Amino acid sequence: MTSSEASTGIAAAAGDGAGSAGWVNFLSDYGLDDTCVGVVHGVIARHAPGARVLDVCHAVAAQDIEHGAGLLADSVCYLPVGVHLAIVERLDVAAAADSARPGGHPAASAARGVAIRTADGSTFVAPDNGLTSLAWDILGGVVAAHEISNPALWLPLPSVVFRGRDVYAPVAARLAAGLALAEVGPRIDAGSLVRLTRPGCVVDDDHLHARVLAVDHFGNLSLNVTRQDLEAAGVLLGDQVEIRAAGRQHLLPFTYTYGDVPVGRAALCEDALHRVMLAVNCGRASDLLRLRRGDAVVIGQPPREPAFGSPSGSAEGAGPVARATSVVSLPALA
């Protein structure tokens, strides 16, 4: 063992991980501006040289567990069966006296680590904060769950601010190389795991209340809405819809794709997951509509003006119904 191996505690036993190993699908909020992702790759490689690492995403919004959970759930069915290493954490101040630092100052604590086996044979290695909970059912549900509590599998003196390197990466690597799930720590009740739920939209007569689930690299705004939700509000493909968000109103077409409108124009359409999104042809809807993840959006039929000359506002016999002129039209992008 070299002095470097002794200091990092990552020397493998003879033959440990030297043969072929499975996939490690890696998602985090680490970004690509420093060495965090590369270091985690390095720890995995030194514990399981035969493992193949697939970088799912490292652009999860910093410490945004809900964002990471949504991205993982949206991608997991397209990933190879293996170990899903997911790391997005928040540190909380522990008020308990036994967790205080010398001098009585409270210590920061992180959620317990868990390794969760699903019905398809995959294993999630992650903090128990709900990050992987939206993905479990997609892979058939939880079969077994174990707390990651065996320090013999970790790097020495693990840092609470980089558990991805010191705890989760070596455990994920060893599991990919064939370590039995029970070796990571005791079995825990699946019912004790933290779970998140994705908020659904609310249909209210001729309109619905929705939220922006995600903003992708192109500035498209994915909503928690399906075409069936729109149809329940009386909005059909090809209709004009009114969008109300961030104190503004917009009149947009509901089209099959954003390519069905001219360049620089916005549309309500379906994304690759068959959810409804707001997009701009060759532009960024997030900039044009001034929206971000979590913002509320109301989608509905445009207001109708009473037909001229019809008693009590009836449009009967008045020809096409006119649209209200109070809706602000979106400008074309320069």
Side-chain angles (χ1 to χ4, degrees):
M1 180 185 296
T2 67
S3 60
S4 174
E5 289 170 336
S7 65
T8 58
I10 52 181
D16 183 16
S20 62
W23 283 96
V24 177
N25 304 309
F26 181 22
L27 175 143
S28 77
D29 62 348
Y30 288 161
L32 299 174
D33 297 327
D34 52 34
T35 63
C36 289
V37 170
V39 165
V40 171
H41 272 259
V43 172
I44 294 170
R46 298 185 80 166
H47 280 89
R52 293 173 290 180
V53 182
L54 189 157
D55 290 297
V56 179
C57 180
H58 300 297
V60 177
Q63 300 178 324
D64 192 332
I65 296 165
E66 293 79 8
H67 185 213
L71 292 177
L72 182 61
D74 291 343
S75 59
V76 72
C77 64
Y78 300 100
L79 305 177
V81 173
V83 176
H84 300 290
L85 173 61
I87 309 165
V88 182
E89 290 193 279
R90 302 184 189 124
L91 295 182
D92 297 317
V93 174
D98 59 358
S99 64
R101 298 191 185 95
H105 300 292
S109 64
R112 65 179 177 177
V114 289
I116 299 166
R117 183 70 45 81
T118 52
D120 77 326
S122 292
T123 304
F124 290 93
V125 173
D128 182 21
N129 57 13
L131 177 61
T132 61
S133 61
L134 298 179
W136 302 335
D137 290 338
I138 295 173
L139 299 185
V142 177
V143 172
H146 289 255
E147 183 175 0
I148 298 175
S149 59
N150 181 2
L153 303 178
W154 311 347
L155 302 194
L157 302 175
S159 167
V160 72
V161 298
F162 201 176
R163 284 162 29 107
R165 174 195 66 193
D166 299 339
V167 176
Y168 297 121
V171 168
R174 292 177 185 276
L175 288 171
L179 181 75
L181 187 64
E183 295 298 316
V184 307
R187 186 161 185 156
I188 56 178
D189 181 6
S192 71
L193 298 169
V194 176
R195 296 175 181 265
L196 300 179
T197 56
R198 232 175 200 165
C201 69
V202 177
V203 178
D204 185 4
D205 192 21
D206 63 351
H207 64 281
L208 54 85
H209 299 266
R211 288 198 173 272
V212 178
L213 287 179
V215 182
D216 68 14
H217 174 72
F218 300 98
N220 300 322
L221 302 161
S222 292
L223 308 176
N224 59 338
V225 177
T226 65
R227 189 190 297 190
Q228 290 73 27
D229 295 325
L230 290 174
E231 291 174 351
V235 176
L236 303 178
L237 194 65
D239 285 351
Q240 293 289 308
V241 295
E242 183 187 62
I243 306 294
R244 286 179 284 167
R248 306 175 72 206
Q249 292 177 290
H250 314 284
L251 191 63
L252 307 177
F254 176 31
T255 62
Y256 186 66
T257 72
Y258 56 80
D260 295 329
V261 297
V263 170
R265 294 292 180 178
L268 190 72
C269 54
E270 283 189 326
D271 64 15
L273 296 170
H274 301 291
R275 280 197 301 259
V276 171
M277 70 175 178
L278 290 162
V280 172
N281 190 358
C282 296
R284 296 183 61 83
S286 57
D287 294 342
L288 193 61
L289 301 177
R290 305 175 193 173
L291 295 175
R292 59 184 181 180
R293 199 181 79 78
D295 283 348
V297 178
V298 178
I299 307 171
Q301 301 177 25
R304 300 174 184 269
E305 291 184 342
F308 180 75
S310 296
S312 303
S314 172
E316 185 177 354
V321 177
R323 301 296 191 187
T325 59
S326 60
V327 177
V328 178
S329 297
L330 288 172
L333 295 178

